[in-house]
Amino acid sequence: MNSIPAKPEHSATSPMTVHFIGNILTFRARYADTKGSFTVIEVLTAPNAGPPPHTQTDQEAFLILEGRYEIIVGDETKICGPGDFVHVAPGTMHAFRNIADVPSKLLLINFPGDLHEEFFVAIGEPLPPGTTAFPEMLPPDIPKIVETAARFGIDIPLAPAA
């Protein structure tokens, strides 16, 4: 008879938590934990924060847990609240932004997940697990973010200079 272990095995750094442009990302299932299938990240987003529009080579999905988000997928803008689910196909321009006056929370799922996870590890500011207070939000280093993203299959087109 097969039995399920009482406590699942986790990678040595799980749950890893990082801050990236107004988002506290806590990795709930890392790529190694899912045998290379996907990554699940709990994202706490500060008011009016979110990633810039971008495309990527992996699939992505959002499940809203708390608050309200504006999610742009291609030419469509969706206002989402708790329980709403949004899927993003590879190569589709997308972004999200917390439109609530308080932090909002979503689950971010990437398939297969290795590239996004490696990007957040490379660019994110490490935080202690369980952190819910946002660190000081300094202006982002846009050239560094764009260059780092490109290494992981994420394209962030820049608006033309004024």
Side-chain angles (χ1 to χ4, degrees):
M1 176 176 184
N2 291 338
S3 64
I4 298 173
K7 182 179 179 201
E9 292 182 30
H10 290 284
S11 59
T13 58
S14 189
M16 178 181 68
T17 302
V18 300
H19 175 254
F20 177 62
I21 58 174
N23 296 278
I24 295 175
L25 302 111
T26 300
F27 289 75
R28 297 298 181 187
R30 299 198 51 195
Y31 183 72
D33 299 331
T34 66
K35 297 186 179 9
S37 297
F38 59 93
T39 299
V40 177
I41 307 168
E42 183 179 296
V43 181
L44 183 65
T45 308
N48 207 36
H54 61 282
T55 62
Q56 61 208 43
T57 57
D58 58 342
Q59 292 189 67
E60 190 162 56
F62 307 102
L63 175 63
I64 310 307
L65 300 176
E66 299 173 10
R68 292 176 56 80
Y69 285 89
E70 174 185 76
I71 301 178
I72 299 168
V73 179
D75 295 330
E76 187 177 355
T77 300
K78 303 175 183 192
I79 303 302
C80 300
D84 288 335
F85 179 84
V86 177
H87 173 260
V88 180
T92 304
M93 187 68 67
H94 63 286
F96 66 80
R97 182 175 63 90
N98 176 6
I99 57 173
D101 294 333
V102 296
S104 292
K105 187 184 294 186
L106 60 77
L107 281 183
L108 171 65
I109 307 153
N110 290 102
F111 301 91
D114 55 333
L115 294 176
H116 248 78
E117 181 174 320
E118 291 172 11
F119 168 68
F120 289 132
V121 169
I123 199 76
E125 170 190 356
L127 296 174
T131 298
T132 58
F134 292 95
E136 180 182 3
M137 290 187 231
L138 303 172
D141 182 343
I142 300 299
K144 179 180 178 184
I145 292 170
V146 170
E147 184 274 325
T148 303
R151 292 191 345 242
F152 298 102
I154 301 167
D155 179 45
I156 304 172
L158 296 176

